[in-house]
Amino acid sequence: LGDAGPRARRRLPIDREALAHAVAEFNRAGSNLNQIARALNEIAAASRAGEGRDCLAGRLDELAAPIGSLQRQFAVPLAAILSALGHDRQG
């Protein structure tokens, strides 16, 4: 008694400040994702309403860069969250 036993694992310390910052960055990227989803829904509605092909193509072109940057936007905060939780991957 009093001994944690052979299968007990010690928890790694959590860098709470780094975790809070990373979660905030993650939420910011999520907000960008929501804005893109809203714009795509507006494009779908415009398509159903019969807007011209050129107009729809222009709207899609405007979204191409933000959509392409989503992976980078989520990669940095996700790596920071994992690091703050002690899940650093090396190699």
Side-chain angles (χ1 to χ4, degrees):
L1 297 175
D3 182 15
R7 291 202 268 169
R9 287 187 176 179
R10 196 175 156 194
R11 289 187 179 186
L12 295 174
I14 295 175
D15 184 344
R16 294 184 191 281
E17 184 176 336
L19 181 59
H21 179 71
V23 168
E25 289 294 318
F26 196 76
N27 288 338
R28 191 170 297 124
S31 176
N32 290 344
L33 178 62
N34 286 336
Q35 291 173 14
I36 290 169
R38 180 176 180 210
L40 288 171
N41 284 328
E42 288 176 3
I43 289 171
S47 175
R48 286 190 294 273
E51 282 192 23
R53 180 179 290 196
D54 292 337
C55 181
L56 293 175
R59 288 184 179 193
L60 287 173
D61 286 342
E62 292 172 11
L63 288 174
I67 290 171
S69 71
L70 278 178
Q71 185 175 8
R72 289 187 308 278
Q73 288 179 345
F74 279 104
V76 173
L78 183 57
I81 290 170
L82 292 174
S83 177
L85 294 173
H87 294 282
D88 290 332
R89 292 174 60 184
Q90 296 185 8

